[in-house]
Amino acid sequence: MNKIVVKIEKSGNRFNAWDVDGKKWTSEIGTATRKNAFNAGMALERREGKGGRIYWWKVPMSEFETTSVPEFDMSSVDVPTDHAEVLNFIHNSYTLKPKGLVMKELKWKYLIRSAVRGKNLLMTGPAGCGKTMAAKSLVNSLDRPDFYFNLGATQDPRSSLIGNTHFDKKKGTYFSESLFVKAIRTPNAVILLDELSRAHPDAWNILMTVLDSGQRYLRLDEADGAETVKVADGVTFIATANIGNEYTSTRVMDKALMDRFTIVEMDVLNDEEEHGLLTYMFPHVDSELLKAVAEISHLTRTESKSDAGKISSGISTRTSVEMAGLMFDGFGLDEAAEVTVYPQYSDDGGVDSERTFIKQLVQKYISDGSSDDLFNEDEIEESNNVGA
Ligand SMILES: Nc1ncnc2c1ncn2[C@@H]1O[C@H](COP(=O)(O)OP(=O)(O)OP(=O)(O)O)[C@@H](O)[C@H]1O
Ligand SMILES: [Mg+2]
């Protein structure tokens, strides 16, 4: 590997690490190390210690300059400099994705690209598949002022999105604007609208003009000619929505509202990816047990998608992570399933109920304590094909 030397730049209260190619290394270097190098006016070099451990060593700033090699040859390629920078940022951005978030490189780069290009983003997918996690990770990677709103928890959209009118003896009637108004007035802000699909329809109406690229304003009052607030330049919205799944509590979102977004569908993890995630999160839990959790979850997902499926929904990654956490704390697979999984399935219909189906599935993994030979190759093959 080529020598990597980074220079620290202060931006707000952050210390970012950039190499000469404009690639950001901030997330790989501890905050104290970065701050320290910045204050000393020194660069940091990436080194490998015993056993492959990576550490960053302070080196004179001149080291940073000597590693300079232009990434693009501007004389031969007609790319504007700023475009080259954007390209670099997008295509090197996979290093910004936190290791604990499982997401394919293309999807992640598409997210970064859409945000960089100022698109409104809507992450869709079933419950517990990582929509909020991905949206938050994206916001963290962008190094811009950020604001978080959980619209699913908002009872009174008008006061949370616009503000409140108050009365004070001295001041008389006055208006105090909401944090959301402050957010849209902030140039280059990244505004996370979590659980947009669960928001009150009034919230959707208020957001309609805000999100429309041809309008981009918020009206403070219904009245004609009422004051409006302009959405500042460079503001990006990132929303999440629980759509395309079985949850009826989620109101169906308005088509016109959906149209205002670039939609990014979150992929539900397959058994291998999920096993990888659980192993990464809980390296001390027996890998075979984690494999059983991943397989059970995966099988419920394929079963729920098949036409003749005996269950209406699959186990989410959130639930798999919960199960693995219980095992880390010494609970058995059966116990973990009993408290986290079974309650999600109805026991209506007795032996034909969804709960009976799940119990039998889990039981197969418990009987001999391992997942071996529980499903023969054909069965697994068959389940992988369903709904694919
Ligand atoms: N793709 C993923 N990569 C890593 N962890 C994941 C992933 N999907 C889910 N998880 C785990 O599940 C938990 C819940 O994920 P998250 O809150 O992002 O789901 P969500 O899609 O926003 O769900 P909801 O629809 O209920 O809001 C996370 O904290 C994480 O532990
Ligand atoms: Mg969420």
Side-chain angles (χ1 to χ4, degrees):
M1 196 181 199
N2 288 332
K3 183 159 128 177
I4 295 165
V5 180
V6 299
K7 182 180 177 176
I8 311 298
E9 280 172 17
K10 195 172 178 190
S11 138
N13 55 4
R14 289 188 201 221
F15 294 88
N16 283 319
W18 302 93
D19 67 17
V20 283
D21 298 324
K23 179 172 168 185
K24 199 170 171 184
W25 290 86
T26 311
S27 60
E28 298 210 359
I29 311 170
T31 318
T33 310
R34 279 180 274 127
K35 192 171 170 180
N36 202 299
F38 178 83
N39 289 335
M42 293 180 85
L44 288 170
E45 188 188 335
R46 190 172 191 271
R47 294 188 181 174
E48 203 175 308
K50 284 205 193 81
R53 198 178 62 89
I54 300 295
Y55 64 101
W56 293 81
W57 190 252
K58 276 209 295 276
V59 291
M61 194 54 82
S62 55
E63 289 294 305
F64 176 77
E65 272 101 32
T66 54
T67 61
S68 305
V69 189
E71 176 113 332
F72 283 91
D73 181 3
M74 286 304 169
S75 55
S76 60
V77 189
D78 190 16
V79 187
T81 321
D82 55 345
H83 189 218
E85 271 169 29
V86 171
L87 286 183
N88 261 336
F89 182 68
I90 295 170
H91 295 283
N92 291 325
S93 66
Y94 203 52
T95 53
L96 297 175
K97 182 188 72 65
K99 293 213 170 62
L101 168 70
V102 182
M103 195 171 189
K104 296 202 175 70
E105 179 162 1
L106 174 61
K107 276 275 156 81
W108 174 262
K109 288 207 278 197
Y110 181 50
L111 274 186
I112 293 272
R113 184 267 172 188
S114 304
V116 166
R117 287 294 179 211
K119 312 271 182 207
N120 296 328
L121 274 172
L122 179 65
M123 331 264 300
T124 66
C129 70
K131 298 182 294 294
T132 300
M133 193 179 182
K136 286 188 171 168
S137 310
L138 173 64
V139 168
N140 282 339
S141 305
L142 291 175
D143 198 14
R144 283 159 50 178
D146 60 84
F147 297 86
Y148 177 88
F149 299 92
N150 187 330
L151 298 176
T154 326
Q155 298 300 324
D156 181 358
R158 193 151 293 283
S159 73
S160 5
L161 294 176
I162 299 174
N164 289 303
T165 309
H166 302 278
F167 180 76
D168 181 277
K169 270 194 208 137
K170 283 187 202 131
K171 290 193 251 174
T173 310
Y174 69 99
F175 178 74
S176 65
E177 58 184 38
S178 66
L179 178 64
F180 183 72
V181 173
K182 182 175 176 247
I184 65 170
R185 285 192 205 272
T186 309
N188 300 315
V190 202
I191 303 177
L192 183 43
L193 303 172
D194 207 8
E195 307 203 11
L196 178 65
S197 52
R198 289 183 58 233
H200 193 281
D202 281 354
W204 297 343
N205 281 330
I206 294 169
L207 291 170
M208 225 43 128
T209 55
V210 175
L211 296 166
D212 183 351
S213 58
Q215 305 188 63
R216 303 228 338 146
Y217 67 78
L218 173 73
R219 194 182 287 283
L220 296 184
D221 200 312
E222 254 104 331
D224 275 349
E227 200 198 326
T228 59
V229 176
K230 203 178 156 298
V231 177
D233 284 342
V235 172
T236 316
F237 295 91
I238 302 170
T240 73
N242 224 313
I243 32 186
N245 67 38
E246 62 285 355
Y247 284 77
T248 45
S249 62
T250 304
R251 300 184 179 100
V252 176
M253 269 173 69
D254 190 277
K255 187 87 181 70
L257 185 62
M258 299 265 302
D259 263 357
R260 286 158 165 73
F261 289 97
T262 294
I263 295 180
V264 179
E265 200 183 348
M266 285 292 293
D267 298 312
V268 173
L269 307 188
N270 65 26
D271 45 356
E272 248 174 66
E273 291 165 328
E274 194 143 297
H275 186 215
L277 171 66
L278 299 180
T279 315
Y280 172 79
M281 292 182 77
F282 302 100
H284 302 296
V285 177
D286 176 10
S287 181
E288 282 304 308
L289 270 178
L290 296 179
K291 193 158 176 241
V293 173
E295 279 180 27
I296 291 170
S297 300
H298 181 70
L299 287 164
T300 62
R301 289 170 201 156
T302 45
E303 176 73 16
S304 71
K305 275 202 223 145
S306 86
D307 289 339
K310 296 194 183 66
I311 46 175
S312 50
S313 64
I315 295 171
S316 71
T317 300
R318 174 188 285 122
T319 300
S320 296
V321 169
E322 264 167 35
M323 286 174 80
L326 282 162
M327 289 170 185
F328 178 66
D329 288 336
F331 291 86
L333 177 60
D334 49 342
E335 294 170 320
E338 188 169 334
V339 289
T340 63
V341 177
Y342 300 163
Q344 297 181 28
Y345 292 92
S346 152
D347 54 6
D348 284 355
V351 290
D352 291 326
S353 70
E354 298 205 347
R355 192 171 298 182
T356 306
F357 176 85
I358 296 287
K359 279 188 178 174
Q360 283 169 349
L361 176 60
V362 173
Q363 218 50 51
K364 289 186 196 165
Y365 282 84
I366 290 165
S367 36
D368 67 353
S370 88
S371 61
D372 296 342
D373 303 325
L374 294 172
F375 292 90
N376 63 42
E377 301 287 296
D378 291 345
E379 263 178 292
I380 291 175
E381 180 63 15
E382 197 180 301
S383 80
N384 281 337
N385 288 334
V386 175

